[in-house]
Amino acid sequence: PYRVLVDGNFLYAALRVKIHLKEQLPKLLLGRTHPVVTRCVIAELRNLGEDFRGAALVAKNFERIPCPHHEGPVSPFECLRSVIGEANKDRFFVATNDKDLRGILREVPGVPLLYLKQQVMILEEASDASKTAASQHEEQKLLPAVFERKRLGLAHDQERSPPKKRRRGPKGPNPLSVKKKKKREEEDTTRPPETKEKMQRRRQRG
């Protein structure tokens, strides 16, 4: 479910116009919702007197989430700022009629804001910070994962590097020519030598 962090002025405004938050929040957000408060919000409503007693009773029925102010309650403005922090890690919706608080929380990415205008509960359009963060998140999803980048980088290097040429040594003699030479030598050795008489006759003829 969506967890909606509610402050005292929003509770008080909703009670005045008779808006039942547990019934109306799911209709607005189109899903299950779970309103929550902090001890600082309840402490402020109690300190504001009889006019805010009804809002304090409603807040007691909501889940109380921990806040870092153990030494004593602070203003809901400071309390909600510290609970949301710089990244809204717990992914709260924030319901407040405090314009200054809404202005500060718009700078935090991923903080949906609700407020009451007369008898209408309004969900603000996503802030510029939220849109930028969402766009960056989508771009990151399109990038390959770490192991994919390693594989792609390796394949890219293999494509770019030329194939290694085998180093050739000095060429040896052609085996066919060697065989022919041996054959000739064999033919010469098998021919009978000429006698001295034949050599003399050849010279006289010449």
Side-chain angles (χ1 to χ4, degrees), residues 115-151:
Y115 65 97
L116 279 167
K117 187 175 182 180
Q118 297 178 356
Q119 296 182 343
V120 180
M121 191 159 44
I122 298 172
L123 174 64
E124 279 194 4
E125 182 183 355
S127 65
D128 291 339
S130 295
K131 290 177 181 178
T132 301
S135 176
Q136 291 174 349
H137 180 68
E138 289 300 320
E139 290 176 0
Q140 288 294 325
K141 286 169 63 177
L142 295 175
L143 294 175
V146 176
F147 74 95
E148 291 175 333
R149 287 200 297 270
K150 289 181 179 178
R151 290 177 61 185

Side-chain angles (χ1 to χ4, degrees), residues 5 37-41 65-69 73-85 101:
L5 181 56
V37 294
T38 64
R39 61 189 298 269
C40 296
V41 169
I65 62 170
C67 66
H69 310 112
V74 298
S75 70
F77 182 94
E78 293 297 330
C79 184
L80 268 62
R81 280 185 61 184
S82 62
V83 170
I84 295 300
L101 180 58

Side-chain angles (χ1 to χ4, degrees), residues 22 27 30 32 39 48 53 57-58 62 65 148-149 196:
K22 287 188 175 181
K27 294 179 182 179
L30 303 176
R32 293 173 55 200
R39 61 189 298 269
L48 288 174
R53 184 180 178 184
L57 292 173
V58 173
F62 293 165
I65 62 170
E148 291 175 333
R149 287 200 297 270
K196 290 182 179 181

Side-chain angles (χ1 to χ4, degrees), residues 4 9 33 40 56 65 68 101 135 149 155 157 166 185 195 200:
V4 183
N9 57 47
T33 59
C40 296
I65 62 170
L101 180 58
S135 176
R149 287 200 297 270
D157 291 340
R166 293 184 178 180
E185 289 176 357
T195 61
Q200 289 176 359

